[in-house]
Every structure is written in structure tokens, then in C-alpha cells.
Amino acid sequence: MTEPLLQLSGVHASYGQVEVLRGVDLSVGEGEVVVLLGANGAGKTTTLRSICGMVGTRGSVRLGGTELTGKPTEWIVRQGISHVPQGRGVFGVLSVEENLRVGAWNRKDTKGIDADIDRWYDVFPRLAERRTQLAGGMSGGEQQMLAIARGLMARPRLLLLDEPSLGLAQIITRGLFAQLEAINREQSTSMLIVEQNAELALSFAARGYVLESGSIVLSGSADEVRGNEDMRRAYLGY
Ligand SMILES: Nc1ncnc2c1ncn2[C@@H]1O[C@H](COP(=O)(O)OP(=O)(O)OP(=O)(O)O)[C@@H](O)[C@H]1O
Ligand SMILES: [Mg+2]
């Protein structure tokens, strides 16, 4: 059996003395969309940070068979991972367009880069209106749109998205997920998405995991996760 694109095995992560992840096993297949759910403080953000080498981690994180644990974040990113952190995460002193071009740091196909920038301006018209404005002066929601677009400008193999819908109006969120779906389909981009809107995320993802106090307590196909009674009560509210 071939190994999935991303494989976490027995991952423990700590901030100082405090252990936050307690043996997480999780995988994302080539071209697969996976959602990671869980209550506030469960360790979702830390899971993404452990993949990127941004927190002290024990255990194994492999990308395409290559061990990532212990490697510097910069090196990990160069293996084809884009990480869009929770909340902000843009260069405030650069303009919107400069942020998007920086996102394409690893590409030389000028035409393709321009086409991708236009695509994101279509998805997020607010960004087009503000293309010459400094990112730091924009609202939280606008910066969130820019951070997501910038992350995808690199055309990563694996996209890590932390609460992409946070601070976005519902209609913008729906447009964003439609676009993520199109990118996944067209470019086979694998995605691991942390999302508070469980219903929306499960309608898009193939599989899901639920994290509780640093351990995976439920995993399965999106339908299985959606159908789980505890899950429904805790996150879907019915
Ligand atoms: N830099 C840090 N230093 C110390 N403890 C931290 C740090 N970041 C997070 N924690 C703690 O680690 C635990 C997991 O945090 P994490 O941010 O991964 O949770 P989360 O599932 O992303 O939560 P949320 O839904 O609120 O974003 C929490 O108890 C949090 O207080
Ligand atoms: Mg978080």
C-alpha cells in the first residue's frame, strides 16, 4: 500500500512543560480534503503547527515519505506545504498585490501567477478594490481572505487552513469553499482544514477527525463523522 501524502503517527506536542497533543494519528491522502474538528483548546491549531515544525514535537510527521519532525519550518514549507494560520498572517507593510506575489515565491510562470491573482480578485472582490493598499490597514476579514489567497498562490501540494471562515461573512465563506473545491479538483491540492463551521467543512471534506484534549476521539468518512451522535450534539447542534 502506498503511503498517504501526510502521515502523523503518535504525535505529541508541548508548550514548555504542558503537553497539548497526546499521540495524534492522522493522515491526508494525495488529493484528499480532510477536516479537523474539535472544541476550543482541543489542540487543532497545535496539530497544524506540529506539521510545520512550529512547536516542540515528538513522534513522526511524514510528507510523501519524508520525515518532517525536527526540520526547520522554512525547510518544511519548501517541501510543498502552505500553512494559513488562524486569524491574520499577512505582511502588513506590503500591499495586497505584493502579498499575493510573495505567496508565489516558488514559481516562475509569470502568466500563471497573473492568472491566479486575477482568480483571487474574482473570488474576493474586496481584495481587487484594495490591491495597492497596505495589508496592515485592512479589516480582519479582508486580511483573512488575503492570507488564504496568498497561501494558495504557491500552488502547494498540501494546504493547511486554520479556521478559514473566521471573520468572513457567510456568502464570502460559501464562495471561498466553492473555490477551494475547484482548486482541489483542478490541481489535486491536498487539504487539511480546521473549521468551526463543521457542517460546511464536512460537506466538502472526504474524511474528518475530531480532536478532544489532544487526542483523536473520532475519525471516519465525512458521513460517518456527521452521523455520529456525540458529534452532532457537540458541533452540529441537532
Ligand atoms: N503558545 C502557547 N503556549 C502555551 N500554551 C499554549 C500555546 N498555544 C496554545 N496553548 C494551549 O494549548 C492548548 C491547545 O491550543 P490550540 O490553540 O492548539 O487549540 P485549538 O483547538 O486550536 O483551539 P481554538 O479552537 O480556540 O483555536 C490550549 O489549552 C492552549 O491554551
Ligand atoms: Mg485554533
Side-chain angles (χ1 to χ4, degrees):
M1 215 177 84
T2 55
E3 190 171 322
L5 177 64
L6 178 75
Q7 178 76 60
L8 275 65
S9 310
V11 168
H12 292 252
S14 311
Y15 295 107
Q17 301 295 319
V18 184
E19 188 170 68
V20 171
L21 298 184
R22 304 155 196 234
V24 169
D25 296 322
L26 175 157
S27 69
V28 180
E30 199 79 58
E32 192 181 33
V33 177
V34 172
V35 63
L36 180 59
L37 304 167
N40 292 129
K44 305 179 299 294
T45 294
T46 304
T47 302
L48 300 191
R49 291 173 61 89
S50 73
I51 296 166
C52 296
M54 296 164 75
V55 56
T57 301
R58 278 189 300 122
S60 168
V61 178
R62 291 160 71 85
L63 183 80
T66 302
E67 186 60 52
L68 303 184
T69 30
K71 298 282 196 330
T73 300
E74 200 197 312
W75 184 90
I76 292 170
V77 165
R78 268 191 273 118
Q79 308 310 304
I81 296 182
S82 272
H83 175 214
V84 182
Q86 192 172 354
R88 314 277 155 103
V90 299
F91 296 115
V93 297
L94 297 185
S95 71
V96 166
E97 183 134 343
E98 285 165 345
N99 265 280
L100 293 174
R101 292 197 181 278
V102 168
W105 59 277
N106 56 341
R107 296 170 60 186
K108 294 200 173 64
D109 57 323
T110 317
K111 280 201 185 118
I113 292 171
D114 289 344
D116 280 5
I117 288 178
D118 286 341
R119 173 186 203 146
W120 288 110
Y121 285 160
D122 282 344
V123 178
F124 298 132
R126 303 284 287 184
L127 296 185
E129 290 163 21
R130 285 163 170 66
R131 63 176 75 193
T132 59
Q133 197 173 309
L134 295 189
M138 301 199 305
S139 75
E142 289 163 353
Q143 292 193 30
Q144 178 71 347
M145 298 174 203
L146 180 57
I148 294 163
R150 194 189 64 187
L152 280 160
M153 285 300 299
R155 295 206 166 211
R157 292 168 77 187
L158 174 68
L159 177 70
L160 306 176
L161 273 182
D162 200 346
E163 312 235 8
S165 74
L166 203 72
L168 297 187
Q170 223 175 55
I171 183 163
I172 303 273
T173 299
R174 256 183 265 124
L176 168 66
F177 272 78
Q179 210 48 228
L180 291 174
E181 202 155 9
I183 284 168
N184 168 256
R185 198 173 348 100
E186 290 164 24
Q187 299 167 19
S188 295
T189 311
S190 306
M191 303 182 183
L192 178 57
I193 303 181
V194 171
E195 178 53 59
Q196 48 176 337
N197 188 337
E199 189 74 70
L200 178 69
L202 286 169
S203 69
F204 166 44
R207 286 191 303 117
Y209 292 86
V210 180
L211 200 55
E212 210 176 279
S213 305
S215 302
I216 300 288
V217 293
L218 176 67
S219 68
S221 71
D223 282 341
E224 285 165 354
V225 172
R226 202 189 282 113
N228 182 279
E229 206 169 316
D230 295 337
M231 167 67 207
R232 280 214 312 271
R233 239 180 271 126
Y235 303 105
L236 300 174
Y238 59 86

